[in-house]
Amino acid sequence: MSMEFGEIRERMAEYLNGQGVDAVCAYPDSGRLRRKGAVAAVSLRACQGGPGGFQDYLGERYDEESGQWQELYGKKIVLTFGLDLYAPQNGGAAAIQSAFDKMAEALRREGPPGLRLLELSCGETEFDQEAGLYHRTVEALCQGYLYAVAEEGGTFLDFIVRGESRI
């Protein structure tokens, strides 16, 4: 599962949509559409990395397709997602709360593939007079690994974001 950092927010939006939370990537190339209900605007606010193992060595895995062992090198990462919620005036603060509850349950249950939820926080729901929308700031800290796969001889094949397995 190869992933660029630009794709990470798209994966989060896809995951939330699959869990019944209307979500779009913040700052889309296309124009904004007015929604009937609450929507989460997904952004990537921060990425912090740290050592994942000794000299960034994470271990080996067997690639059944090539029939060879591959070495894994990488870093543990913590991603801060902005999952800000917006709702039209007619939906009100109740639509924001309902969307937040769905989002919290979806992230607590399993979260997007390759990432594990560490923390979910939110602010108060406020009404933006200028935009005519209710708004609540939401942030999710998720942990995973950014790693590279090396085949025999030390050639790196690809960089991948992957999460920890749950126990």
Side-chain angles (χ1 to χ4, degrees):
M1 134 161 117
S2 182
M3 189 182 320
E4 300 283 330
F5 277 108
E7 295 175 48
I8 293 173
R9 65 188 180 121
E10 284 88 357
R11 289 272 178 100
M12 177 62 87
E14 287 172 11
Y15 173 76
L16 291 173
N17 279 308
Q19 299 299 311
V21 178
D22 191 9
V24 296
C25 291
Y27 319 112
D29 292 336
S30 60
R32 294 183 185 183
L33 301 174
R34 282 285 184 179
R35 308 282 192 184
K36 292 181 182 180
V39 63
V42 179
S43 62
L44 185 58
R45 293 187 176 153
C47 176
Q48 297 175 311
F54 181 71
Q55 297 292 332
D56 295 331
Y57 179 73
L58 300 175
E60 292 182 320
R61 74 170 182 196
Y62 184 73
D63 182 22
E64 291 183 20
E65 195 173 297
S66 69
Q68 295 181 349
W69 284 94
Q70 298 173 331
E71 294 181 332
L72 305 178
Y73 295 87
K75 296 194 177 293
K76 189 181 291 190
I77 59 171
V78 175
L79 302 168
T80 303
F81 287 96
L83 303 173
D84 295 350
L85 293 167
Y86 296 89
Q89 193 168 0
N90 63 354
I96 294 276
Q97 186 61 49
S98 177
F100 179 77
D101 292 345
K102 266 189 201 177
M103 180 188 302
E105 181 61 26
L107 292 171
R108 182 198 64 77
R109 197 171 341 114
E110 66 183 46
L115 297 174
R116 183 173 62 91
L117 180 69
L118 299 176
E119 183 180 315
L120 182 66
S121 61
C122 70
E124 296 292 322
T125 300
E126 298 172 347
F127 185 71
D128 181 340
Q129 293 284 0
E130 190 175 316
L133 296 170
Y134 282 91
H135 172 249
R136 178 184 287 182
T137 302
V138 179
E139 281 193 347
L141 268 64
C142 297
Q143 181 176 303
Y145 286 89
L146 177 62
Y147 70 88
V149 177
E151 62 183 13
E152 267 185 85
T155 304
F156 286 108
L157 302 175
D158 205 355
F159 286 93
I160 301 168
V161 175
R162 182 72 52 131
E164 295 180 351
S165 60
R166 293 175 181 234
I167 297 175

